[in-house]
Amino acid sequence: MAAQMQWLSPVSLQELVAAPVFRRTDDSDNGDLAIMLTGGGARAAYQVGLLRGIARHFPNLRFQIITGASAGAINAIFLAAHEGTLTEKIDNMAEAWSELQCDHIFRFDVRSVIPFRSALASLFPRHKWSRPHGVFDTTPLRRLLERVLHTDSGVPIDGVIRNVRSGDLHAVALITLDYSTGQSVRWVQGRAMDVFEGPNRRSARTELTIEHVLASAALPFVFPAVRIGSQWHGDGGIRLAAPLSSAVHLGAGRIVAMSTGYQRTADEADTPVVTGYPPAMQILSQLVNAVFIDAIEEDVTRMERMNDMIRRLSPAERNGFKPIDLLVLRPSVDLGKLAAEYEQYLPRSLKMLMRSLGTKETASPDFISMLMFEPRYTERLLAIGEADVESRLDELRCFFEEDAQALSAV
């Protein structure tokens, strides 16, 4: 067996086996079909385009496990809460995304970015200069979620309860960051999970509410943290080292991972997008990519290596591990660079703030793409997602073949 492991270098076997992603202990079947929806702010419209393309060719496809983090949590809860065929769900979701504008998601108050505001609040606690909880007020997003999910804040989402009860949905998980403890929290509704916890992560069974969605999508500093129970939670993409793990521990045998991060070529990666000293916008963009985009790529690489290792072992040597079939869908276009073409359509106050940070000084303002909730941009992303599905249709047919056969037999 030692000889079989030599090919793993430079990644150690201990590192791979310790990763909280790959163990499946249920030998009764090949596991459920799961979908993992990652972050990216307004770029999550690309995921809806992918789903619309998939629904066109596989209208009755069913994801038994749905997981989401950051902006992907919004799409995840929409899928989990609505009933009907995949086509019906995605048509409604795409319509909602097509109509989105910035003021449907957040309100921007320029006073929230005035220097020393927090200092003034501490000096004059009874003055109107209260401490800002975020640059943007996400009350409009809360109202939007209440409308599209047909529920009120603080109340369990009925659609999720019904879908779990009927068996159409086996489990849904949303990820947040507990700011008080620094732990990544996996909120699970539905099937009991194969729990894998550690000092920086924990799981909690719950009935999901709008607060869980808002918290998962609460971009740090930009959007305010959300209170769940006695603690304040923020964006689930932070500290999420293994985005695929939730689906695996919920019983997935096959995972469709939808990323909003463009995979650059070697030449593109070596080409500077700024000249001279990097503006704040460029630095923010790199932070955004590191926190919300890069983690899924690392996790995919880890899973592919682990799958390769498991397949090389005999069943007796696998110790309960099984390979996970994985399909990763990424944009064929750099969505960050694309956002630069639509910057002019942002609300005036937001556009002024972004330009003060150097939007015009970088060719790839990834940070601004996260706030680009404008119909021209989101419609373009929907179209790119659909086109990317068409370009990989043979691969998708092969991946979903088992599901298509099961549905035809019903």
Side-chain angles (χ1 to χ4, degrees), residues 300-311:
V300 166
T301 299
R302 192 161 53 235
M303 177 172 280
E304 289 173 342
R305 286 176 171 172
M306 190 67 173
N307 280 337
D308 195 8
M309 183 193 75
I310 293 171
R311 290 188 177 106

Side-chain angles (χ1 to χ4, degrees), residues 104-345:
H104 297 160
I105 304 297
F106 53 77
R107 288 196 295 257
F108 173 56
D109 184 353
V110 69
R111 293 175 298 175
S112 65
V113 295
I114 294 177
F116 312 119
R117 178 171 174 149
S118 293
L120 288 170
S122 63
L123 291 173
F124 306 102
R126 295 187 179 181
H127 196 274
K128 64 179 180 180
W129 292 99
S130 60
R131 183 195 306 173
H133 290 169
V135 176
F136 301 98
D137 174 10
T138 53
T139 299
L141 176 57
R142 181 184 292 271
R143 299 290 176 256
L144 174 65
L145 291 173
E146 289 176 343
R147 186 171 69 254
V148 300
L149 297 176
H150 311 293
T151 190
D152 295 320
S153 295
V155 178
I157 301 170
D158 284 339
V160 177
I161 295 173
R162 288 195 300 270
N163 285 334
V164 169
R165 187 177 296 157
S166 69
D168 286 341
L169 176 66
H170 292 172
V172 57
L174 303 182
I175 296 92
T176 67
L177 176 72
D178 185 336
Y179 282 136
S180 302
T181 65
Q183 291 177 313
S184 180
V185 184
R186 185 186 304 165
W187 302 94
V188 180
Q189 184 169 350
R191 168 191 290 161
M193 66 189 308
D194 174 20
V195 177
F196 188 100
E197 297 191 347
N200 293 324
R201 58 183 173 271
R202 62 183 171 89
S203 303
R205 298 293 301 279
T206 192
E207 289 187 324
L208 294 169
T209 66
I210 285 176
E211 280 69 27
H212 293 94
V213 185
L214 289 170
S216 186
L219 188 65
F221 298 111
V222 179
F223 294 158
V226 178
R227 188 168 184 168
I228 301 176
S230 61
Q231 307 291 0
W232 291 91
H233 292 252
D235 200 298
I238 307 172
R239 302 200 77 165
L240 184 60
L244 302 172
S245 64
S246 295
V248 176
H249 287 292
L250 285 168
R254 290 161 301 135
I255 302 174
V256 179
M258 293 187 174
S259 173
T260 60
Y262 172 69
Q263 198 166 47
R264 297 181 297 172
T265 65
D267 288 341
E268 287 174 326
D270 290 337
T271 303
V273 293
V274 296
T275 301
Y277 191 84
M281 179 58 64
Q282 178 65 14
I283 297 172
L284 283 171
S285 295
Q286 297 308 310
L287 287 173
V288 162
N289 288 333
V291 173
F292 302 105
I293 305 298
D294 295 347
I296 183 66
E297 302 303 332
E298 295 293 331
D299 205 21
V300 166
T301 299
R302 192 161 53 235
M303 177 172 280
E304 289 173 342
R305 286 176 171 172
M306 190 67 173
N307 280 337
D308 195 8
M309 183 193 75
I310 293 171
R311 290 188 177 106
R312 289 169 181 255
L313 301 176
S314 68
E317 294 175 305
R318 292 181 178 179
N319 192 30
F321 287 82
K322 289 184 178 182
I324 307 295
D325 292 334
L326 177 64
L327 177 66
V328 184
L329 299 174
R330 306 180 183 89
S332 57
V333 176
D334 189 329
L335 305 184
K337 284 188 175 181
L338 185 64
E341 300 179 19
Y342 298 89
E343 181 261 2
Q344 60 182 307
Y345 300 112

